Amino acid sequence: MIPPGAPIVTAARMRAAEEALFRREPQLDVMERAGAAVAGAVARFARGSPILVLAGPGNNGGDAYAAARLLKAAGHDVAVAACGEPGTPAARAMLERWGGDVGALYQARPRPVLVDGLFGTGLTRPLERGIAPVLAELVAAARFSLAIDLPSGLATDSGADLGAPRGIGATLALGALKPAHLLDAGLERCGQVLLADIGIPVESDWRTVARPKLTAPGPRAHKYSRGLVVVVEGDMPGAARLAAHAAMAGGAGYTILACRDEGGGGPDALVRHRIANGDDLADFLTEKRIGGILIGPGLGRDRRAEGLLKAALNADLPLILDGDALTLLGKSAAAWLQRRTAATWLTPHAGEFGRMFEGNGDKIVQTIAAASESRTTIVHKGADTVIATPRGEARVLARASSWLSTAGTGDVLAGTLAAQVAAGNKDAAETAVWLHARAAALAGPAFIADALPMHLSQAISECL
């Protein structure tokens, strides 16, 4: 489980935080705390089994030597293997404190418990050809394996696979989470992510998504004060109905489906308002009580869809753009969105994001850059969902239910977001993402998107 609300820092930010601390406190004291945190975690999982500790040439290896010494002092059967001599003064000092035998990595024999302290934060190039297969074999042979800070072979700032082994059972992040714990290959290679506070003060505008704190409607609440959401229907009415249902279940007091046919299906509490074209929608959106407009789910990409989208963009009201609306904007997205004065939220998946924005770097960096360029809040969906604001803030939700990989779940997320926007929630995107993921967990395996709204009320109840 990813620790909620935890700071996320790049390798450079972590290095800067460590160096600032080392000016006030000996580095070896901090490394001893890291080693103690690792030893404590390993001891809980080892249950008396023999332990093999792998130490690299950097400070990650220093943490490994410290952990090995503490585990041995606690009575565990510990063997240490290394890939080269320590290359930093702190790591050399910890090797001396270990004082025991150190074998060569290539001659290490498997043990039931493995500690990977070869390469942690800061790795930017692939593991050497000889190291990667040896590490993979040792991990595969172990009953349980724990990585110190990061599994060896993950790019810290992107989570890219640089030769990381499969099968790591847990990763103990030291001081703060790194992007690799949450992105790309890190989703599979880190195992269970734990976080150890080793006394390094860390400040970051990037954090993991946390459970929101919500309040029940007050005694004077009414349907408009709780938020009026308008969902615009297009060529695929089912998508808009899914989104509207989610808006209703996600807390909106009043939900209107702007549609071609007033006699269509949907819950009885859903109000339907006939809209023939963009001009009709523009007239309707002059209603000042509207707290949020959602357009895009099943919208289509024809002239009528373009007219509806233009009307929504021109309305001076909070706007959520999803699905086909994002594709219609394409590379002109930033130019269109910069003209708006009201707040805007985008909910693209990777393909839609790529059709709108160009960028380099990891998913967090790209999403922040796009949010700044377009002056919007972006919910960049996926197994590693990244929320970014124009102010450079980022929230990351990783490892939500993989059963969300089914048609219509994105429409439910968009509707949930619309409800939170209309209610005036300043953390609408983070709240919606958490509620959506929690509803999926409550729905269990093999659900269909229609089932998700039915679990939103329970998810909300956990936040009151």
Side-chain angles (χ1 to χ4, degrees):
M1 178 180 178
I2 299 293
I8 306 165
V9 297
T10 62
R13 289 287 294 273
M14 195 67 204
R15 224 167 11 245
E18 290 171 341
E19 289 171 0
L21 179 61
F22 297 157
R23 288 193 287 270
R24 305 188 304 272
E25 182 178 356
Q27 182 177 0
L28 292 183
D29 290 355
V30 180
M31 191 169 280
E32 284 286 358
R33 291 200 295 270
V38 173
V42 173
R44 287 196 299 272
F45 290 108
R47 299 177 183 175
S49 298
I51 301 166
L52 172 62
V53 177
L54 305 181
N59 287 333
N60 196 245
D63 298 336
Y65 290 123
R69 186 188 82 246
L70 294 170
L71 285 165
K72 184 176 181 180
H76 294 273
D77 178 3
V78 181
V80 176
C83 60
E85 294 294 321
T88 70
R92 283 194 291 273
M94 287 302 169
L95 172 58
E96 292 175 5
R97 292 184 184 185
W98 157 246
D101 293 334
V102 177
L105 173 66
Y106 300 105
Q107 297 175 338
R109 293 188 176 183
R111 286 190 153 207
V113 177
L114 178 74
V115 180
D116 171 17
L118 293 176
F119 303 97
T121 295
L123 189 68
T124 57
R125 57 187 175 83
L127 292 180
E128 295 179 13
R129 289 184 180 178
I131 292 178
V134 171
L135 177 59
E137 288 176 8
L138 292 173
V139 170
R143 173 178 58 78
F144 172 78
S145 54
L146 180 139
I148 300 176
D149 207 21
L150 279 173
S152 298
L154 280 181
T156 307
D157 293 348
S158 67
D161 183 8
L162 302 177
R166 296 180 183 275
I168 292 287
T171 296
L172 183 66
L174 300 177
L177 296 178
K178 319 304 184 296
H181 293 123
L182 308 162
L183 304 177
D184 202 2
L187 292 171
E188 295 180 285
R189 307 300 170 84
C190 288
Q192 182 177 354
V193 177
L194 311 171
L195 177 60
D197 180 0
I198 57 172
I200 302 175
V202 175
E203 295 183 2
S204 178
D205 289 328
W206 303 1
R207 292 188 173 272
T208 55
V209 168
R211 181 169 63 185
K213 294 181 180 179
L214 303 176
T215 57
R220 296 182 181 274
H222 51 80
K223 62 186 178 184
Y224 292 112
S225 66
R226 287 183 54 190
L228 168 56
V229 172
V230 173
V231 180
V232 180
E233 184 183 280
D235 284 350
M236 297 177 65
R241 286 200 302 270
L242 263 177
H245 193 180
M248 297 167 70
Y254 193 0
T255 303
I256 297 175
L257 187 66
C259 54
R260 279 176 170 168
D261 179 11
E262 294 185 57
D268 290 339
L270 176 62
V271 177
R272 305 177 72 90
H273 184 89
R274 187 174 182 279
I275 295 293
N277 51 42
D279 290 338
D280 284 351
L281 182 60
D283 290 340
F284 179 54
L285 295 181
T286 58
E287 168 58 70
K288 296 302 181 184
R289 290 180 296 188
I290 296 172
I293 309 163
L294 168 58
I295 185 168
L299 181 65
R301 304 175 192 177
D302 58 10
R303 288 290 182 87
R304 179 176 181 272
E306 290 176 352
L308 293 171
L309 176 57
K310 185 176 180 180
L313 289 166
N314 288 334
D316 189 23
L317 293 165
L319 177 64
I320 300 91
L321 299 172
D322 182 56
D324 287 333
L326 302 174
T327 298
L328 286 173
L329 286 175
K331 293 301 180 186
S332 63
W336 268 102
L337 297 168
Q338 288 169 3
R339 302 172 192 168
R340 285 184 45 80
T341 55
T344 309
W345 289 258
L346 314 181
T347 59
H349 56 57
E352 292 160 345
F353 185 90
R355 288 193 284 272
M356 290 188 292
F357 303 107
E358 310 226 0
N360 298 311
D362 62 75
K363 188 172 181 177
I364 297 175
V365 170
Q366 286 191 39
T367 309
I368 289 174
S372 177
E373 179 188 7
S374 60
R375 301 174 191 168
T376 65
T377 296
I378 299 180
V379 180
H380 193 170
K381 298 181 293 193
D384 46 3
T385 293
V386 175
I387 306 164
T389 73
R391 299 180 298 279
E393 300 162 331
R395 300 291 181 265
V396 183
L397 178 78
R399 304 183 188 184
S401 170
S402 58
W403 294 105
L404 281 166
S405 54
T406 187
T409 56
D411 305 323
V412 174
L413 174 59
T416 307
L417 173 57
Q420 294 301 314
V421 167
N425 185 341
K426 63 182 181 64
D427 298 316
E430 184 175 3
T431 298
V433 166
W434 190 92
L435 292 174
H436 184 252
R438 183 59 183 146
L442 293 168
F447 58 78
I448 61 173
D450 302 63
L452 278 182
M454 294 185 287
H455 295 280
L456 283 172
S457 62
Q458 186 176 348
I460 290 172
S461 74
E462 296 179 9
C463 304
L464 298 176

